[in-house]
Amino acid sequence: EFCASSPRTCPPDQPSIPAVMAPKAEGKAGKVAKAVKSSVSRKEKKVRTKVRFYRPKTLIKARDPKYPRKSVESRGDKMDKYRIIQCPVTTESAMKKIEEINTLVFLVDLKATKPKIKEA
């Protein structure tokens, strides 16, 4: 038996610790002894087979924004019927077309397509 404070003398009021160690400490010591006996394994360097380096594919997460990137949503279709057809043409040649060929002539938006003009 020996004391916790000094191993030489043990006053009567201090509890003594038995010389036999606890089983938990014995297990640790055994593991350490085993590790000391075995050789230290180093990580093997990977042999490159290709000249070009390919970046490894990592996890791609879905977007989870903290706030909207645009404060106001888009207004749907900007090309409405009032934007496509601007005004009728009232020149002499247009009037001639109205009378003879029975055709209406309008000024339209440059970005408007023929089907959109027809629809408007």
Side-chain angles (χ1 to χ4, degrees), residues 51-71:
V51 179
R52 186 167 278 112
F53 175 78
Y54 289 97
R55 183 176 52 81
K57 286 177 173 66
T58 54
L59 180 70
I60 299 164
K61 289 183 176 181
R63 285 187 177 190
D64 185 24
K66 300 282 181 276
Y67 63 93
R69 291 290 181 260
K70 284 185 178 178
S71 58

Side-chain angles (χ1 to χ4, degrees), residues 13-73:
D13 62 318
Q14 230 179 9
S16 60
I17 302 166
V20 180
M21 287 188 157
K24 200 188 278 184
E26 207 172 274
K28 276 187 183 177
K31 281 182 186 175
V32 170
K34 199 183 242 182
V36 169
K37 282 176 192 169
S38 66
S39 62
V40 178
S41 61
R42 299 230 186 279
K43 193 179 175 190
E44 217 174 282
K45 195 170 185 180
K46 190 182 174 233
V47 180
R48 295 211 176 272
T49 53
K50 295 175 187 141
V51 179
R52 186 167 278 112
F53 175 78
Y54 289 97
R55 183 176 52 81
K57 286 177 173 66
T58 54
L59 180 70
I60 299 164
K61 289 183 176 181
R63 285 187 177 190
D64 185 24
K66 300 282 181 276
Y67 63 93
R69 291 290 181 260
K70 284 185 178 178
S71 58
V72 183
E73 290 97 36

